[in-house]
Amino acid sequence: MDCKVLLISSNLGSVFEEPSIEKKWLAEFNRMAVENTPDIIALHCQEIGGKDFGVTMPMVFEFVRKIRELPGLTLFDRVRTFMDTDFSIADQFTALGNFYFFHSRLGSVKIWNFSRKEFEVVQKESLPVTQSKGAQLNQALQNDPCHIKERYPNEFYPTVRWSRKGYLATRWSVNGYNFSLANVHLFHDEDNLVALEQSPSCYSQYRNRALKYTTERLSHLLVGSDPFFMFGDFNFRLDFPAVIKHMATQYHQPQFIRSDNGSLEKVVYRNPLSSDEKDSLSIERRKFFSNSHCTLFTDKYTELLQYDKELSHFKEFRELPIHFQPSYPFSEDASVNNEYMEKRCPGWCDRIVMNGPAMELVKKSSITPVYDLMGREVCTGDHKPVYLSFSFKISDNDTSYPQPPEDQRQPLAQALGMTALHQLPVLLSSFLPRPHSQSILNAANSGSIFAPRPLLHPGMSLVHGSTPSSTPVSPMTSVPNPTLPLSVQQLGKPSLPALPPLPISLQQLGKPTLPMPPSLSFSISHSTVPSVPTPLLSLSSVQQSGLLSSLAPSSSFKSVGFDPSALGADGVSIPGTVLYSSPPGGPPHLTLQDPKDKSNSSKDKKDNKKGRATFSGNQIDELEKAFVSTQYLTNSERSRLAERLDLSESQVKIWFQNRRTKCRRTAWKSGSVTSPTTPTAPPTVLSSDTQVTVPQ
């Protein structure tokens, strides 16, 4: 299906100070929601609570209630709101607000939990929005792990004592399609005369530093194959000295007016052909005036795009062509719709930028992408919101989990005994690292893959070499050819012990327990009831059913198996090897490997072993940086990295395999993890009051 997206960035500093502006802003936002018919609306706001936030912050919750009651949002049944309203925590306060709305026609909507490092379902709203509901939507950010937020350090903007600038990012999955969204608010120009001193200005350098800092902090979201959109108030300004030179061609040389103490107060350019004093170009600390102000920045703004240079320093970002006038600074007079204040040199402060995968997504839109101003003919405050509308293809169903084809479900049920599909994820839940084990269990429990099932009892085993139809019958019962699962009544006395709570651990499975090997894959049996035969899940049955080919290509699998003979005669073993794929944030895929397959034998590996590849210091540094971002490269990422480092893709792939092995071995020896098979995720902020740490 086509999923229509509407991204909007809006600085609300003026909205909370004038009720009539708020009313017009809400009407424009509702119009955008109605006319664009989006499935997803992402609204990023800056200066929540207004400029005088200490007084107007209580208005924020009422503002949210009004948004939720807009007619254009009636069919959006899943909403997540992140609003930084606690200005009492000065060193963390950013005044950022992120609003996300998802239409009822969408299937699965999930948000990334940065603490648990897995997606969680966004629940539907079942109650109408009330005052209490609005307050509930605006929960304190400090305890919400589904976002990353940070205020920029004070030293990033040394010319002011304190600022509320920073970023707030989230990650989403819609029907299995993942993407990230980040709100950002960078530093403004404090003094026009200071901005005129050099090119680029010191303020431009402050913004450059803050944006580089942000890209480093969010590198685990920005770098990769998932689309990443960053939209907010970047406060980008034109190259001010170059703009003044462009505008001053018709004027005399400038006149510098100084105060009594010698400090510069004003710079004036006058027209030699006019006696009108207003026919001039005047620059003061917080004033910028030109007689051609309106004409130049409203009608001839394309002449000034050449001086919009700040984004050009960031090669990782893309932006659609700009076909709209500067978004700041418009008049805050509610009766004036489209006039600039004589305060600052107008600039394209409010922007929507994206990484390469996001740009490719937008280019493939089935509707013409539109990048424009919201409320051109309406007063929305000193900033005109900018928006981007486009569409992209998503699956009609949730593709977060593997789905057996319809025509294979009945053969699977017959071959595996009706419930074996459910036993496999439960069986593996204790041994696969999160989020993969939890994803399988969530899918099984929700019915998104498997039908309802009774819980697996400890007598269940996964063993190669037999079929369900040949499963031996308990000598204590006369039940012929039992099918899975066997109930306590079917098994007769003595009855099985009560089922331990999930996930099943080694300690709960009874004696003898097994030491955790370097890589783990085995069946579960209960040693305290040896006289009760264990139902069998046949590897050949699974292979004949076609399940393996329906889950994922075998090239994406990563083995976590080991030689079962190492367990000893009294150990619990499984002659088949369990395989799973574990891309970061991706769905787990399961299959089995026949131990008779000798294609990966140690002898063959020794015969095919080649000379060890050597890497330069620079290549190792770049590989390590890439490894910090993600331990599992996609094919395109591996190809680009190999080309950049003058290596083959095979060398990059093997280096990453060896590096992951080293990482697990180190963690295992230090005792910092329970199993060396658990992949390590890149560092992220777990909550708004936790600092992000990205190794340099």
Side-chain angles (χ1 to χ4, degrees):
M1 64 174 286
D2 259 354
C3 179
K4 295 183 179 179
V5 181
L6 179 61
L7 309 180
I8 301 176
S9 173
S10 179
N11 187 308
L12 299 178
S14 305
V15 172
F16 292 98
E17 298 177 358
E18 176 55 53
S20 59
I21 295 181
E22 179 193 83
K23 185 177 180 179
K24 292 182 178 182
W25 188 97
L26 289 169
E28 275 300 298
F29 179 67
N30 183 70
R31 182 184 65 82
M32 294 292 295
V34 172
E35 292 183 358
N36 288 275
T37 63
D39 299 292
I40 301 172
I41 301 177
L43 171 64
H44 286 178
C45 299
Q46 305 81 41
E47 296 192 16
I48 285 287
K51 297 178 175 62
D52 192 9
F53 52 83
V55 176
T56 57
M57 191 61 76
M59 297 171 57
V60 170
F61 302 103
E62 178 66 13
F63 178 73
V64 174
R65 184 189 65 79
K66 291 177 181 178
I67 290 180
R68 290 297 295 119
E69 292 179 346
L70 290 174
L73 299 181
T74 303
L75 297 179
F76 290 79
D77 60 353
R78 281 153 292 185
V79 179
R80 283 302 299 265
T81 304
F82 302 86
M83 302 184 68
D84 190 1
T85 58
D86 191 357
F87 56 86
S88 64
I89 311 177
D91 62 339
Q92 298 180 18
F93 179 55
T94 63
L96 294 175
N98 293 17
F99 301 79
Y100 302 104
F101 308 89
F102 299 90
H103 201 281
S104 57
R105 59 176 163 256
L106 289 175
S108 168
V109 178
K110 301 172 186 176
I111 187 170
W112 184 257
N113 186 309
F114 289 95
S115 177
R116 296 202 302 266
K117 297 180 178 61
E118 63 184 11
F119 283 109
E120 61 183 43
V121 175
V122 177
Q123 301 297 334
K124 294 185 178 181
E125 289 186 23
S126 57
L127 299 175
V129 178
T130 62
Q131 181 63 40
S132 60
K133 186 67 174 178
Q136 180 181 346
L137 284 174
N138 290 279
Q139 57 185 297
L141 288 185
Q142 310 308 319
N143 299 321
D144 193 329
C146 294
H147 77 288
I148 303 175
K149 178 183 77 73
E150 187 176 6
R151 173 184 169 271
Y152 296 126
N154 290 336
E155 58 268 23
F156 278 23
Y157 197 25
T159 58
V160 297
R161 291 182 298 175
W162 179 83
S163 72
R164 47 184 169 158
K165 305 297 194 293
Y167 64 86
L168 196 160
T170 55
R171 186 181 182 217
W172 302 87
S173 179
V174 176
N175 283 17
Y177 195 94
N178 304 340
F179 56 92
S180 299
L181 306 172
N183 188 359
V184 65
H185 193 188
L186 302 181
F187 307 113
H188 60 279
D189 280 16
E190 181 71 15
D191 189 324
N192 292 330
L193 296 174
V194 173
L196 191 59
E197 291 176 355
Q198 62 182 20
S199 177
S201 70
C202 61
Y203 304 118
S204 177
Q205 296 176 43
Y206 299 156
R207 288 188 287 271
N208 183 281
R209 179 183 182 185
L211 189 53
K212 283 184 177 178
Y213 178 84
T214 306
T215 59
E216 291 172 358
R217 295 291 201 179
L218 300 180
S219 60
H220 56 292
L221 302 178
L222 174 62
V223 179
S225 59
D226 288 350
F228 175 91
F229 295 88
M230 179 180 288
F231 47 112
D233 182 2
F234 289 79
N235 261 314
F236 286 158
R237 307 301 171 93
L238 303 180
D239 185 340
F240 199 32
V243 171
I244 297 302
K245 183 178 180 180
H246 176 90
M247 297 177 66
T249 53
Q250 58 180 325
Y251 297 111
H252 274 308
Q253 289 297 315
Q255 178 184 0
F256 299 93
I257 302 174
R258 300 183 179 275
S259 64
D260 294 338
N261 62 9
S263 61
L264 183 63
E265 285 189 342
K266 189 176 183 179
V267 179
V268 180
Y269 294 81
R270 299 192 185 279
N271 188 344
L273 303 179
S274 174
S275 59
D276 187 357
E277 290 189 359
K278 292 185 178 180
D279 189 3
S280 61
L281 171 61
S282 177
I283 307 161
E284 300 179 39
R285 184 170 181 267
R286 294 190 176 180
K287 185 177 179 180
F288 175 77
F289 169 79
S290 166
N291 66 323
S292 60
H293 206 83
C294 181
T295 303
L296 179 61
F297 292 101
T298 303
D299 302 328
K300 300 181 179 180
Y301 63 84
T302 54
E303 298 179 10
L304 303 175
L305 283 170
Q306 59 182 311
Y307 307 119
D308 179 57
K309 303 177 180 179
E310 294 195 33
L311 187 62
S312 63
H313 299 293
F314 296 87
K315 302 303 181 184
E316 60 266 51
F317 286 126
R318 314 286 189 272
E319 185 181 30
L320 290 180
I322 293 177
H323 297 296
F324 52 86
Q325 65 194 81
S327 63
Y328 170 88
F330 283 92
S331 173
E332 296 174 296
D333 184 345
S335 63
V336 178
N337 297 332
N338 196 29
E339 291 185 9
Y340 289 107
M341 289 189 290
E342 297 173 358
K343 179 180 179 181
R344 307 284 184 196
C345 177
W348 287 273
C349 294
D350 307 88
R351 311 286 276 263
I352 300 177
V353 302
M354 61 205 81
N355 66 355
M359 178 58 81
E360 291 301 315
L361 187 73
V362 173
K363 286 182 178 179
K364 295 177 182 177
S365 173
S366 61
I367 63 174
T368 302
V370 179
Y371 185 29
D372 204 352
L373 297 179
M374 181 183 101
R376 281 178 174 268
E377 303 303 325
V378 175
C379 179
T380 56
D382 57 349
H383 287 259
K384 291 283 187 188
V386 298
Y387 73 92
L388 171 63
S389 63
F390 65 96
S391 69
F392 67 96
K393 294 285 186 181
I394 60 173
S395 170
D396 290 336
N397 300 307
D398 183 5
T399 57
S400 298
Y401 306 106
Q403 297 278 353
E406 289 281 352
D407 59 350
Q408 294 186 12
R409 292 180 184 176
Q410 186 61 30
L412 284 171
Q414 294 175 350
L416 304 179
M418 299 301 294
T419 58
L421 277 175
H422 317 308
Q423 297 160 14
L424 194 57
V426 177
L427 184 67
L428 298 175
S429 63
S430 296
F431 317 120
L432 291 181
R434 294 177 70 103
H436 312 302
S437 62
Q438 192 60 46
S439 298
I440 301 172
L441 288 175
N442 289 344
N445 292 329
S446 67
S448 61
I449 305 179
F450 313 118
R453 54 161 174 75
L455 294 174
L456 176 68
H457 60 72
M460 205 70 70
S461 290
L462 181 65
V463 183
H464 170 59
S466 183
T467 63
S469 60
S470 62
T471 302
V473 183
S474 168
M476 294 175 286
T477 67
S478 59
V479 180
N481 298 326
T483 58
L484 299 178
L486 294 178
S487 66
V488 173
Q489 290 75 18
Q490 286 175 313
L491 292 172
K493 302 294 183 178
S495 62
L496 292 173
L499 174 70
L502 295 176
I504 302 171
S505 66
L506 289 175
Q507 289 73 18
Q508 292 171 314
L509 297 178
K511 300 294 185 178
T513 60
L514 300 174
M516 189 73 75
S519 295
L520 185 58
S521 171
F522 56 87
S523 64
I524 299 177
S525 65
H526 208 286
S527 61
T528 59
V529 283
S531 60
V532 180
T534 301
L536 302 177
L537 175 62
S538 168
L539 173 61
S540 60
S541 300
V542 178
Q543 292 172 328
Q544 293 169 6
S545 70
L547 172 63
L548 306 188
S549 61
S550 69
L551 291 182
S554 59
S555 60
S556 66
F557 292 125
K558 177 179 182 299
S559 174
V560 293
F562 69 104
D563 184 359
S565 63
L567 294 176
D570 57 347
V572 184
S573 66
I574 170 174
T577 301
V578 179
L579 304 174
Y580 77 103
S581 68
S582 56
H589 299 289
L590 305 175
T591 188
L592 301 173
Q593 178 175 294
D594 195 325
K596 296 178 182 179
D597 183 2
K598 303 300 183 179
S599 60
N600 291 325
S601 66
S602 58
K603 182 180 183 300
D604 290 339
K605 291 180 180 179
K606 179 180 292 186
D607 293 340
N608 296 328
K609 188 172 182 180
K610 298 180 180 181
R612 186 185 185 99
T614 58
F615 301 92
S616 67
N618 181 61
Q619 288 174 332
I620 293 176
D621 289 342
E622 292 299 319
L623 289 167
E624 288 288 350
K625 289 180 182 179
F627 186 79
V628 170
S629 298
T630 176
Q631 294 187 14
Y632 296 89
L633 295 175
T634 63
N635 291 337
S636 59
E637 289 172 337
R638 185 187 307 120
S639 177
R640 288 195 298 268
L641 184 59
E643 182 178 357
R644 180 157 56 89
L645 300 182
D646 195 23
L647 298 171
S648 68
E649 292 189 37
S650 177
Q651 287 176 308
V652 173
K653 179 179 179 181
I654 293 173
W655 188 93
F656 266 75
Q657 290 174 345
N658 293 339
R659 186 65 178 82
R660 288 193 296 270
T661 301
K662 178 181 178 181
C663 184
R664 290 194 293 267
R665 187 184 301 117
T666 302
W668 175 251
K669 289 181 179 180
S670 65
S672 59
V673 294
T674 57
S675 171
T677 62
T678 304
T680 304
T684 59
V685 173
L686 304 185
S687 65
S688 59
D689 55 352
T690 307
Q691 297 296 313
V692 186
T693 302
V694 177
Q696 299 299 317

